[in-house]
Amino acid sequence: MKIGRNSPCWCLSGKKYKQCHEAFDNKLMSLYNRGFDVPDHDMIKVGVEIEGIKKSAKINMACLDAVAEVIDEGMTTQDIDDIVSSTTKKMGGICAPLNYDGFPKSVCTSVNDQVCHGIPSKDVVLKSGDIINVDCTTIFEGYYADSSRMFLIGDVDEDKKKLVEVTKECCDLGLKQVKPWEPIGNIGAVIKEHAHKNGYTVVREIGGHGVGIDFHEEPWVSYVTNMGEGMIMAPGMMFTIEPMINMGTHSIKTDPINNWEVSTIDGKPSAQWEYQVLVTEDGYEMISW
Ligand code: MF3
Ligand code: CO
Ligand code: CO
């Protein structure tokens, strides 16, 4: 599909194509011709969209801040759901998980050996020594923000603390690989290396995703890739860095009753942090974390 050089750019900036994304498209085309997978235009966020997504991110991070302030032993994961739900509503947002593909609650709370998609419940009481991931996804004016954090409850043993810390380091190392015109697999390569160096494994079946206009968009982001692999990152792409790192085997299972909760098959702990990032002209911008 050819756009006239003097026609309005596809990004709706109002500028002429030749003064806007023509060079961008040429660059992607030459990478494509060298054998790389490249994003198409609907993976590229434009100005108004990014502004809207940032408003959603404000609510998203306010929810996790509110949880961080009060989370403690004796609380239930339903209490966390209540905090996220009320904070989101108060700020005019919607909790994306609720009724998403039948998910029954407003946030995911994954404790200890739970890898992700834990369902909040009155019956799950946090106790000293637990580690928990709280994964919050927000919709505001149709725009999505998605991030998650780990929390330590009471006295957590050194092994589990280290897992949580190394998983954060994995995300930070991955973040540094977010550079335009480089392949997205570089992120997973450094994450996998750091996890393995520390004796941990990386979940393979579940990964990150494009996000912003929808909950889960292309591309899918694996954290068990090698340097040089995967789709080229282009300015305007937005996706999550959310590796799940296990203390024992990488193998996971899904609860056969609720079909959501994912846990390690060996019962050993798993940790995850999630950042939402935008690829920029010279690197990245964190959108939610
Ligand atoms: N927030 C999760 C992610 O990072 C997805 C949760 S899906 C839900 O992609 F339905 F469980 F909420
Ligand atoms: Co998430
Ligand atoms: Co996500």
Side-chain angles (χ1 to χ4, degrees), residues 135-137 146-148 209 215 242 274:
D135 189 342
C136 184
T137 312
D146 183 13
S147 74
S148 81
H209 51 94
F215 199 156
E242 52 172 316
E274 178 173 21

Side-chain angles (χ1 to χ4, degrees), residues 127-171:
K127 54 183 193 309
S128 182
D130 284 345
I131 59 171
I132 179 176
N133 172 274
V134 179
D135 189 342
C136 184
T137 312
T138 311
I139 313 172
F140 182 72
E141 292 177 351
Y143 295 112
Y144 286 74
D146 183 13
S147 74
S148 81
R149 303 180 197 164
M150 293 297 297
F151 298 98
L152 306 175
I153 308 300
D155 288 321
V156 174
D157 70 45
E158 288 306 317
D159 282 3
K160 276 161 115 181
K161 245 189 215 165
K162 186 181 162 200
L163 175 70
V164 170
E165 278 160 18
V166 169
T167 304
K168 183 84 167 24
E169 290 163 11
C170 283
C171 287

Side-chain angles (χ1 to χ4, degrees), residues 42 45 49 53 96 100 137-139 142-146 209-218 238 240 276:
D42 57 19
K45 268 69 180 173
E49 294 170 335
I53 295 165
Y100 174 79
T137 312
T138 311
I139 313 172
Y143 295 112
Y144 286 74
D146 183 13
H209 51 94
V211 62
I213 307 304
D214 212 336
F215 199 156
H216 295 112
E217 304 171 2
E218 284 196 275
M238 194 184 280
T240 65
Q276 177 176 2

